[in-house]
Amino acid sequence: MVELRAAVALLGRFPALSGVDLTIHAGETVLLRGPNGAGKTTLLHLCAGLLRPESGEVRVLDHDLTEVVGRRSVRRRVALLGHATGLYDDLTVGENLRFWARAAGLSAADADRRTDEARSRLEVPDRLLDQPVHTLSAGQRRRTSLASLVVRRPELWLLDEPHAGLDQAGRDLVDALIGDAVAAGGTVVVSSHELDRVAALSPRTVTLAGGAVVDASATDDGGIR
Amino acid sequence: MSTLRTVLRDARLVAGRDLRIEARSRVVVDQVLPFAVLVLVLFGFALDADHSTLRTFAPGLFWVTVLLSALLAIQRSASLDSADGTGTSLRMSGLSPVARYLGRTTAVFVQLLVLEALLVGGLVVLYGVSVEEWFLLVVAGVAAGVAVAAAGTLYGALASGLRARETLLPILVLPVLAPVLIGATRAFDDALGVAAVDGWAWTGLLAVAALVLTVVGASAHGALVED
Amino acid sequence: MAEEPMSPAPLPEGTASDTTGSRGSRLLGVLALVGLAVLGVLAFVLTDPDVRIHPSTGAEFGQFDAVRMLYVHVPLAVMTYLAYGLCAVASLGVLIRRTPWWDVTAHAAAEVGTVFCGLVLVTGSIWGRPVWNTWWEWGDVRLMTTLVLFLMFAGYLALRRTTGDPRAVSRRAAVVALVAVLDLPLVNRSVEWWENRTLHQQSTLGDLKIEDLTLFTLMLGFLVLGMVLAWLLLHRFRVGWLERAALDHSVAAAIVERRGETPDDELRRAVGDPSPGESS
């Protein structure tokens, strides 16, 4: 599913990833940990096909991400939840969801259907549909972002601090979402400082520091540097 | 592989999004259009002129005003995807760069048409201009509008993601649009009865410019938004 | 612009360790200087000014001494187009092949080309002054087109100097160069039509009789300025290449440093307890 060998990734001139060895199998849940500046976000972006690897091997979902074609192909099959909302502030929740669903290639009918399902799963109430995103609370925005990702039915989930800024209910929903994804056979990589929460999902833990993997707990080989 | 129909469908989706955002936020209507009228007024003050002088210069002043206002509209359009991570989501979505380019260009074009229409009104009211050939005026305005939107969207995407993008955009896009300025002014000279030139020949040049810039823009856009 | 060379930089044979010169380029430089001297003598002393006798009035007319600018202005213009043409081809290479060689070449060609372009404008203005009685003539098609070209590449150079992801900047610059070159015919055609409307007559190249010593001097001008172009390109390319090598070197060093970044206690902390706060 995900295979990295000595992967180096630059942000401008800065080597955010200095040589990552990592293997993740389909259906696994992985917790990504590490101090600030360790390269967790960069690793997620790399696996999403958003960054060109400077050197090393990067294969995700059988696509070779050192090639432009590979990066372009992998993006549609992956969902990345970052720090930003990924939503247009001036558009309503409904308009955003509809746009992103159709942008993912769904027909109008499919888009509406899947959007309704996602909304109810993530408890984004009907009354918010006509509200511009900038009027929503942080928690509501996060849930809308997640709903827009759920619609795509990705095979690989890359979640960068999904619990941050959410209240108890919101955090529970995120956990439930991760549980759904795992149950559906998806692979989930979560970068988080909320170890206790994620621990409940029995993930494999991968620790990053200085742009490389320093420890991968022994449910599987991850290549210890 | 995207087929033509997919590209057009996606372009329509993107154009609709941009126009809907504008309808909601009204930045162009509230800020760019008044700026354009302001520039026309400033020219009036600066030239300290009577109606006959203003009429003579009207086409040139019109198109300089359009170009300066277009810079603002283009900056605004390019900025829509540099906030809130929507640029990243767009890259993740699988929309082809060509579709994104065509959609955005269409939205900017529509906004420019509204701008031009308003400014023609401004010319009539403030400068005492009278339109002799409406059809020529509209066709030339459309062709020039496409050219400006096409070049602007390309360079807007180019400058976004760089430091000093606000000051880079004008110096990059304006020289490239020099032929459009020359051609559109001459076409308007004819349409407004200001000078005896062949406005339709100039409009032909504008159409060629519009075509070339759109094709080049669509091709080059991919290199800019991909990695 | 000059940099200390770093050891990974692959400089050509015979290069001294503290300059970008080489045996070959020094020879070229000397030849170019000699050539410039010869050209100067020919252009400004030995050739005749353009003096013609009007058939009916018998009065003298023509460009007189101003025509001497011909020997520099025209070769400069040709060299400008060569340099910008090279930049366009190299920019295509940047987008298709993405190797550093194309990128450095594109930048060098654009910079040298812009210098030459500026000189074309200046010499054109000097040449035109006695003929037009102004320093700038809006009706001259070539001058106008050259001015727009100059502005387009001034934008290119400004873009090149912005800070940011070097790869992104080089790709964007390549697009700017290519669009500029593709736009140029449009610029030329529009200025031409515009100029024709004003029915401007002035002495152009076509009026002059170019033969014998005049022709020879002009050809020499092409040769000499071609050598100057080559010399400048060579050196500018080498400087750019060294800058590139220095950059790669510093990135490689940064990678190594980053790997060794985690001292033992930070490592223990990383594996044991999480750091609070926002993530990386």
Side-chain angles (χ1 to χ4, degrees):
Chain A
M1 171 68 68
V2 175
E3 265 181 60
L4 282 79
R5 299 254 167 278
V8 172
L10 301 179
L11 292 178
R13 296 190 204 178
F14 175 70
L17 297 179
S18 58
V20 173
D21 290 332
L22 183 62
T23 304
I24 302 177
H25 298 289
E28 274 200 273
T29 311
V30 173
L31 169 64
L32 204 54
R33 299 174 31 194
N36 300 336
K40 304 194 292 291
T41 300
T42 309
L43 181 59
L44 293 176
H45 279 241
L46 181 68
C47 294
L50 292 173
L51 276 184
R52 190 181 77 112
E54 184 70 15
S55 65
E57 284 172 40
V58 181
R59 295 196 69 85
V60 176
L61 290 169
D62 268 330
H63 294 290
D64 181 2
L65 298 197
T66 58
E67 309 267 314
V68 175
V69 189
R71 292 197 291 279
R72 262 187 228 161
S73 315
V74 87
R75 287 178 209 150
R76 315 180 82 121
R77 301 169 65 185
V78 168
L80 173 71
L81 179 77
H83 301 296
T85 58
L87 303 171
Y88 293 104
D89 259 1
D90 295 302
L91 296 182
T92 66
V93 168
E95 287 165 344
N96 265 286
L97 290 176
R98 200 169 314 123
F99 174 77
W100 289 114
R102 304 224 53 210
L106 297 175
S107 70
D110 281 344
D112 286 338
R113 194 171 34 83
R114 287 206 208 172
T115 304
D116 287 338
E117 285 168 13
R119 269 196 313 114
S120 64
R121 188 71 190 88
L122 283 156
E123 294 179 20
V124 177
D126 279 2
R127 65 176 169 80
L128 286 185
L129 266 184
D130 290 328
Q131 304 263 38
V133 164
H134 68 82
T135 62
L136 267 49
S137 71
Q140 290 167 330
R141 280 184 228 190
R142 175 66 51 78
R143 283 187 265 155
T144 309
S145 304
L146 282 170
S148 71
L149 293 178
V150 165
V151 166
R152 298 173 62 193
R153 297 200 187 155
E155 294 160 66
L156 172 64
W157 287 86
L158 302 168
L159 305 172
D160 202 350
E161 307 237 358
H163 301 97
L166 293 182
D167 59 7
Q168 183 67 17
R171 290 177 148 122
D172 289 339
L173 267 175
V174 171
D175 294 341
L177 174 72
I178 299 178
D180 282 354
V182 169
T187 311
V188 180
V189 180
V190 181
S191 162
S192 182
H193 293 300
E194 310 239 351
L195 301 186
D196 296 333
R197 277 208 161 257
V198 187
L201 305 158
S202 340
R204 173 153 76 92
T205 305
V206 171
T207 308
L208 274 189
V213 174
V214 296
D215 178 48
S217 67
T219 41
D220 214 331
D221 63 274
I224 299 178
R225 289 200 66 79
Chain B
M1 282 299 267
S2 308
T3 64
L4 179 66
R5 215 174 39 191
T6 316
V7 170
L8 289 179
R9 164 195 178 266
D10 288 345
R12 210 174 46 235
L13 183 70
V14 170
R17 170 205 70 190
D18 273 9
L19 289 173
R20 199 166 289 128
I21 293 178
E22 170 53 28
R24 221 40 77 59
S25 64
R26 295 200 175 286
V27 167
V28 169
V29 169
D30 285 348
Q31 297 171 27
V32 179
L33 295 189
F35 170 77
V37 175
L38 180 63
V39 172
L40 274 189
V41 171
L42 289 179
F43 275 135
F45 288 151
L47 296 176
D48 187 21
D50 50 77
H51 269 193
S52 74
T53 317
L54 286 176
R55 257 200 301 275
T56 315
F57 291 127
L61 300 179
F62 176 90
W63 283 107
V64 169
T65 306
V66 167
L67 281 183
L68 294 179
S69 312
L71 288 176
L72 293 181
I74 292 161
Q75 302 264 26
R76 164 63 181 162
S77 160
S79 76
L80 291 179
D81 281 319
S82 63
D84 299 322
T86 50
T88 305
S89 308
L90 273 177
R91 289 180 70 201
M92 296 297 294
S93 71
L95 286 173
S96 74
V98 172
R100 289 168 57 183
Y101 173 80
L102 291 177
R104 175 142 283 171
T105 301
T106 305
V108 172
F109 167 67
V110 168
Q111 291 166 20
L112 286 182
L113 274 190
V114 171
L115 173 74
E116 288 178 29
L118 178 76
L119 283 178
V120 168
L123 285 190
V124 169
V125 170
L126 295 173
Y127 291 5
V129 152
S130 63
V131 180
E132 294 197 359
E133 279 188 67
W134 275 102
F135 189 46
L136 173 61
L137 192 84
V138 169
V139 175
V142 166
V146 173
V148 173
T153 302
L154 175 65
Y155 283 97
L158 197 149
S160 78
L162 295 173
R163 319 252 169 99
R165 53 174 169 268
E166 296 85 10
T167 37
L168 259 184
L169 177 68
I171 57 169
L172 289 179
V173 79
L174 289 179
V176 169
L177 288 177
V180 176
L181 175 62
I182 295 175
T185 309
R186 299 289 98 73
F188 267 42
D189 275 343
D190 188 1
L192 298 180
V194 167
V197 292
D198 184 355
W200 284 107
W202 283 107
T203 306
L205 181 77
L206 288 176
V208 171
L211 183 66
V212 168
L213 288 170
T214 306
V215 168
V216 168
S219 321
H221 192 247
L224 298 176
V225 301
E226 293 292 330
D227 191 5
Chain C
M1 227 165 76
E3 294 260 11
E4 298 263 7
M6 311 285 295
S7 40
L11 289 175
E13 287 254 335
T15 309
S17 62
D18 58 351
T19 75
T20 53
S22 62
R23 251 198 311 273
S25 78
R26 246 172 252 131
L27 178 65
L28 180 65
V30 167
L31 280 176
L33 274 176
V34 169
L36 277 174
V38 171
L39 182 67
V41 166
L42 276 173
F44 293 100
V45 178
L46 293 179
T47 51
D48 301 319
D50 172 41
V51 181
R52 288 168 264 169
I53 309 292
H54 196 277
S56 37
T57 67
E60 288 185 342
F61 75 105
Q63 296 180 25
F64 302 106
D65 277 316
V67 78
R68 300 186 186 283
M69 293 311 303
L70 158 77
Y71 305 116
V72 241
H73 176 81
V74 175
L76 278 173
V78 170
M79 295 310 142
T80 304
Y81 284 116
L82 275 182
Y84 282 153
L86 178 62
C87 179
V89 169
S91 295
L92 206 57
V94 167
L95 292 176
I96 300 177
R97 283 258 170 263
R98 298 170 182 234
T99 65
W101 191 89
W102 293 110
D103 189 35
V104 176
T105 303
H107 195 178
E111 230 178 66
V112 176
T114 304
V115 169
F116 273 62
C117 194
L119 288 174
V120 169
L121 291 172
V122 168
T123 55
S125 182
I126 295 175
W127 188 2
R129 178 74 166 88
V131 178
W132 305 319
N133 245 344
T134 59
W135 285 110
W136 189 257
E137 182 46 66
W138 285 94
D140 185 300
V141 175
R142 278 189 298 269
L143 214 54
M144 292 305 305
T145 308
T146 309
L147 178 64
V148 175
L149 187 61
F150 179 83
L151 289 171
M152 291 201 278
F153 275 92
Y156 176 99
L157 293 178
L159 171 61
R160 275 288 189 176
R161 295 194 64 215
T162 56
T163 49
D165 179 12
R167 250 200 315 265
V169 169
S170 88
R171 248 206 316 275
R172 281 154 165 73
V175 170
V176 169
L178 283 171
V179 177
V181 164
L182 288 171
D183 194 51
L184 201 60
L186 277 171
V187 174
N188 193 37
R189 185 49 53 92
S190 62
V191 175
E192 212 176 272
W193 286 6
W194 176 53
E195 191 268 336
N196 285 334
R197 176 187 80 122
T198 61
L199 302 167
H200 226 101
Q201 301 286 30
Q202 69 225 358
S203 311
T204 61
L205 221 47
D207 285 351
L208 300 169
K209 271 199 310 205
I210 304 185
E211 56 195 9
D212 304 330
L213 193 59
T214 308
L215 180 61
F216 175 78
T217 310
L218 187 61
M219 291 299 121
L220 181 68
F222 283 124
L223 180 65
V224 169
L225 284 166
M227 287 196 288
V228 172
L229 176 72
W231 191 87
L232 285 173
L233 277 176
L234 202 61
H235 279 270
R236 182 57 185 86
F237 175 87
R238 286 181 185 164
V239 169
W241 191 253
L242 292 177
E243 282 175 347
R244 196 46 169 265
L247 184 67
D248 289 343
H249 193 87
S250 75
V251 167
I255 292 177
V256 171
E257 188 189 316
R258 176 118 162 107
R259 277 208 201 110
E261 194 172 83
T262 36
D264 281 335
D265 52 339
E266 229 197 281
L267 201 70
R268 254 180 277 123
R269 220 177 343 120
V271 176
D273 320 291
S275 310
E278 319 148 59
S279 93
S280 48

